[in-house]
Amino acid sequence: MYYFAPVTVFSAKVEMDNVLQVVDVAEQVANQIRVSLASQGALAAWNVRLTRLTPGECEIVLPMSAAVTQQHGYFHGGVIGALADVAGGYAANTLLMPDNECLTAEYKINIVAPGIGERLIARGRVLKSGRTLVITGAEVYVRNNGVEKLCAIMQQTLFVIPVTSNPT
Amino acid sequence: MYYFAPVTVFSAKVEMDNVLQVVDVAEQVANQIRVSLASQGALAAWNVRLTRLTPGECEIVLPMSAAVTQQHGYFHGGVIGALADVAGGYAANTLLMPDNECLTAEYKINIVAPGIGERLIARGRVLKSGRTLVITGAEVYVRNNGVEKLCAIMQQTLFVIPVTSNPT
Amino acid sequence: MYYFAPVTVFSAKVEMDNVLQVVDVAEQVANQIRVSLASQGALAAWNVRLTRLTPGECEIVLPMSAAVTQQHGYFHGGVIGALADVAGGYAANTLLMPDNECLTAEYKINIVAPGIGERLIARGRVLKSGRTLVITGAEVYVRNNGVEKLCAIMQQTLFVIPVTSNPT
Amino acid sequence: MYYFAPVTVFSAKVEMDNVLQVVDVAEQVANQIRVSLASQGALAAWNVRLTRLTPGECEIVLPMSAAVTQQHGYFHGGVIGALADVAGGYAANTLLMPDNECLTAEYKINIVAPGIGERLIARGRVLKSGRTLVITGAEVYVRNNGVEKLCAIMQQTLFVIPVTSNPT
């Protein structure tokens, strides 16, 4: 009989080492980002957690669960891409908020290793901040038995827009 | 015995207008693709459905649900990207299976309109089929009140590998 | 007085089958594009010729010469990319001019076959035209002994700006 | 007899500050790269110079000339892309040669500032080296009155092939 093991992993959920670190980012901005991330249904369904914010940088973590797997039980490539997209966007938001935020215009991602492990860690950072467009890069690592391995590399273009309704 | 749980979930939610159309693709290949797609936890969690297969082309549909939204309740950009990635990959598989399949090496996606609507439709097609690499394109449309609108455009590179273990 | 040196070089080498076809594009716009293209030193040095303009589409041709080769004497990959970039940009300009034009924000190109032949033909077309960003696609074909073969596939994001100084 | 014309052109224009620095790269490999670069007609026509090689990294320089300009006399976007493509490819070759080399499968480049200045400097580096595919990144800087400014950011996928005929 086929038993869908990853569901069990999923239930274990939030660990102690996922406290959010905020370094040199205003509390208002960190709050905006936290609230924005929490309000995204897709990220809530995956149990994505925000783990680090510094000016121009954002780290998020995604634990393994049945909801993020491909056919071999590894992290799904589309999920890896989505995580990189989100990390890049919030990296930009650390510089744009509280008044502005950004939309993804486009991104390009190379999957460089299969997503085999217990969690993904995506680290986005701003490469160039313009008035209308922001360019970011992100790496996604997969942690397996405590060892991080590079899994994907992304380059992204974001479009700056005003924050129309402050969700805080 | 191999019991394929996600298939059940998958089948249960298929609506009348989401019957799979298979045109000029061998039944064995269509089955491989159906089983492969159903075995991807991420796609089952989103209730992604396979709606059309022709040689070098694949159409899949994603209905709106809380699990695929961003902060405004629209389809999440990362989900849109994941859907395009999947459509491109299975478009390639229509030409590669039964003996080979593919892994995503990289993709690039432009989000050209917000994903506002009741479902996403991703249409992937092979642009160039080589021995080691396959290049595909995909468009993602969002259907709102019966009207389809272009939402995203993807270009993708896939890596050909042998089918190591046939899940059927 | 404005003396337009590259035009001379450009005109001298036009072959009989490289007459510019303009279909449903205003003469003013076609002229703007012709002058703009001729004023680009890089394109003049390569003897790039404009062969077709329709609304949202542009075709340009690049003949083989020592100045466009890589180490095996084929068309250089970077030259192929540059040609696709230019074709996409002028495809957008057919819709933006006379008042606006565009700058390349980014492009992504797959080289799908070596550039072996006597000329490259790049065909760009607008995939989505927005107020600030235009998305285009382009294919580059290489013609060898009269047979065209797909050589590269591009997807591009352009940024719309006003025409500040009309070079005509 | 094979007479290697481009080498002459190349050597003639090297300025005093463009001596090639080679750090921890075997002399045979550095020679292969130098000869390969010199044998590319497109790069010779632009007077591209190789300025630095370290394992997994390559720096090349392109001086301003009429042959590399767009309509405003700045460095052409397509030329900027070609330069990044070349820098990424030779960065990979520092790790692949003497037995293997690479072909560009695809690249994606963001132009982040106009190429205004007296020279471009492209710096490529390997991000992930696989058996079949190598992923690189490159930045292109433009130097204007001695000040370097970031001009473009590239991400690239290369395909590994054996060196079939050693040009040395």
Side-chain angles (χ1 to χ4, degrees):
Chain A
M1 201 198 84
Y2 189 85
Y3 178 66
F4 214 59
V7 174
T8 316
V9 177
F10 188 79
S11 307
K13 276 192 179 175
V14 174
E15 296 167 15
M16 292 307 290
D17 65 343
N18 287 115
V19 176
L20 171 60
Q21 283 189 305
V22 180
V23 181
D24 294 333
V25 172
E27 192 174 326
Q28 182 189 1
V29 170
N31 272 338
Q32 268 180 299
I33 290 175
R34 207 159 40 196
V35 169
S36 167
L37 194 143
S39 67
Q40 300 202 45
L43 306 185
W46 289 344
N47 195 23
V48 170
R49 305 165 228 162
L50 186 63
T51 48
R52 190 171 158 85
L53 290 173
T54 64
E57 296 186 332
C58 171
E59 183 191 86
I60 55 178
V61 171
L62 170 66
M64 173 52 77
S65 76
V68 296
T69 57
Q70 37 83 289
Q71 63 270 30
H72 305 298
Y74 308 154
F75 284 101
H76 194 283
V79 172
I80 294 167
L83 202 70
D85 174 40
V86 170
Y90 285 119
N93 278 345
T94 63
L95 303 183
L96 296 172
M97 288 181 163
D99 297 331
N100 292 308
E101 60 182 330
C102 57
L103 297 174
T104 298
E106 61 85 37
Y107 61 96
K108 177 259 200 289
I109 187 160
N110 279 78
I111 310 290
V112 301
I116 306 175
E118 64 261 16
R119 68 174 61 185
L120 293 177
I121 304 108
R123 299 191 177 103
R125 67 193 178 290
V126 173
L127 300 177
K128 169 78 181 190
S129 185
R131 211 169 20 135
T132 313
L133 299 179
V134 177
I135 316 305
T136 72
E139 283 85 40
V140 182
Y141 294 85
V142 60
R143 196 165 90 171
N144 198 12
N145 295 321
V147 180
E148 282 190 18
K149 189 178 172 181
L150 183 62
C151 177
I153 309 167
M154 185 204 69
Q155 188 168 318
Q156 180 189 43
T157 309
L158 300 151
F159 194 83
V160 179
I161 56 167
V163 172
T164 45
S165 59
N166 193 321
T168 52
Chain B
M1 197 200 85
Y2 191 84
Y3 178 65
F4 213 62
V7 174
T8 315
V9 176
F10 189 81
S11 308
K13 297 187 185 169
V14 170
E15 295 167 15
M16 292 309 289
D17 65 341
N18 287 116
V19 174
L20 172 59
Q21 282 189 306
V22 180
V23 181
D24 294 333
V25 172
E27 192 174 326
Q28 182 188 0
V29 170
N31 272 339
Q32 267 181 299
I33 290 174
R34 206 159 41 196
V35 169
S36 167
L37 194 142
S39 67
Q40 301 202 46
L43 306 184
W46 289 344
N47 194 22
V48 170
R49 303 164 229 166
L50 187 62
T51 49
R52 192 172 157 84
L53 291 173
T54 65
E57 296 186 332
C58 171
E59 183 190 87
I60 54 178
V61 171
L62 170 65
M64 173 52 77
S65 75
V68 297
T69 56
Q70 37 82 288
Q71 64 271 29
H72 305 298
Y74 307 154
F75 284 100
H76 193 282
V79 172
I80 294 167
L83 202 70
D85 174 39
V86 170
Y90 285 119
N93 279 345
T94 64
L95 303 183
L96 296 172
M97 290 181 163
D99 297 331
N100 292 308
E101 60 183 330
C102 57
L103 297 174
T104 299
E106 62 85 37
Y107 60 97
K108 176 259 199 292
I109 188 161
N110 279 79
I111 310 290
V112 302
I116 306 175
E118 63 262 15
R119 69 175 59 186
L120 293 177
I121 303 109
R123 299 191 178 104
R125 67 193 177 290
V126 173
L127 301 177
K128 169 80 182 189
S129 184
R131 210 168 22 135
T132 313
L133 298 179
V134 178
I135 315 305
T136 72
E139 284 83 42
V140 182
Y141 294 85
V142 61
R143 196 165 90 171
N144 198 12
N145 295 321
V147 180
E148 281 190 18
K149 189 179 172 181
L150 183 62
C151 177
I153 308 166
M154 184 203 70
Q155 188 168 318
Q156 179 187 43
T157 309
L158 299 152
F159 194 83
V160 179
I161 56 167
V163 171
T164 44
S165 59
N166 192 319
T168 52
Chain C
M1 200 198 83
Y2 191 86
Y3 178 66
F4 213 60
V7 173
T8 314
V9 178
F10 190 81
S11 307
K13 298 188 186 169
V14 170
E15 296 166 15
M16 290 310 289
D17 65 342
N18 286 117
V19 174
L20 172 59
Q21 282 190 306
V22 180
V23 181
D24 294 334
V25 171
E27 193 174 325
Q28 182 188 1
V29 169
N31 272 338
Q32 268 181 298
I33 290 174
R34 206 160 40 198
V35 170
S36 167
L37 193 142
S39 68
Q40 301 202 44
L43 306 184
W46 290 343
N47 194 23
V48 171
R49 306 164 227 165
L50 186 62
T51 48
R52 192 172 157 85
L53 290 174
T54 65
E57 296 185 331
C58 171
E59 183 191 87
I60 54 178
V61 171
L62 170 65
M64 174 52 77
S65 75
V68 295
T69 56
Q70 37 83 290
Q71 63 271 30
H72 306 299
Y74 307 155
F75 284 102
H76 193 284
V79 172
I80 294 167
L83 202 70
D85 173 39
V86 169
Y90 285 119
N93 279 345
T94 62
L95 304 183
L96 296 172
M97 290 181 162
D99 297 331
N100 292 309
E101 60 182 331
C102 58
L103 297 174
T104 298
E106 61 85 38
Y107 61 96
K108 177 259 200 290
I109 187 160
N110 280 78
I111 310 290
V112 302
I116 306 176
E118 63 262 15
R119 67 175 60 185
L120 293 177
I121 304 109
R123 298 190 178 104
R125 66 193 178 290
V126 173
L127 301 177
K128 169 79 181 190
S129 184
R131 209 169 22 135
T132 313
L133 299 179
V134 178
I135 316 304
T136 72
E139 282 84 41
V140 182
Y141 294 85
V142 61
R143 196 165 88 170
N144 198 12
N145 295 321
V147 180
E148 282 191 17
K149 188 179 173 182
L150 183 62
C151 177
I153 308 167
M154 185 204 70
Q155 188 168 316
Q156 180 188 43
T157 309
L158 299 151
F159 194 83
V160 180
I161 56 167
V163 172
T164 44
S165 60
N166 193 321
T168 52
Chain D
M1 198 199 84
Y2 191 85
Y3 177 66
F4 214 58
V7 174
T8 315
V9 177
F10 188 81
S11 308
K13 298 188 184 168
V14 170
E15 295 168 16
M16 291 309 289
D17 64 342
N18 287 115
V19 175
L20 171 59
Q21 282 190 306
V22 180
V23 181
D24 293 333
V25 172
E27 192 173 327
Q28 181 188 2
V29 170
N31 272 338
Q32 268 180 298
I33 291 174
R34 206 159 41 195
V35 170
S36 167
L37 194 143
S39 67
Q40 301 202 45
L43 306 185
W46 289 344
N47 195 22
V48 170
R49 305 164 228 166
L50 186 62
T51 48
R52 191 172 158 85
L53 290 173
T54 65
E57 296 186 331
C58 171
E59 183 190 87
I60 54 178
V61 171
L62 170 65
M64 174 52 77
S65 75
V68 297
T69 56
Q70 36 84 289
Q71 63 271 31
H72 305 298
Y74 308 155
F75 284 102
H76 194 282
V79 172
I80 294 167
L83 202 70
D85 174 38
V86 170
Y90 285 119
N93 278 345
T94 62
L95 303 184
L96 296 171
M97 288 181 164
D99 297 331
N100 292 308
E101 61 182 330
C102 57
L103 296 175
T104 298
E106 61 84 38
Y107 60 95
K108 177 258 201 290
I109 187 160
N110 279 79
I111 310 290
V112 302
I116 306 175
E118 63 263 15
R119 69 174 60 184
L120 293 177
I121 304 109
R123 298 190 178 105
R125 67 193 177 290
V126 174
L127 301 178
K128 169 79 181 189
S129 185
R131 211 170 21 137
T132 313
L133 299 179
V134 177
I135 316 304
T136 72
E139 283 84 41
V140 182
Y141 294 85
V142 61
R143 196 165 88 171
N144 198 12
N145 295 322
V147 180
E148 282 191 17
K149 188 179 172 181
L150 183 62
C151 177
I153 308 167
M154 185 203 69
Q155 188 168 318
Q156 181 188 42
T157 309
L158 299 152
F159 193 83
V160 179
I161 56 167
V163 172
T164 45
S165 60
N166 194 320
T168 53

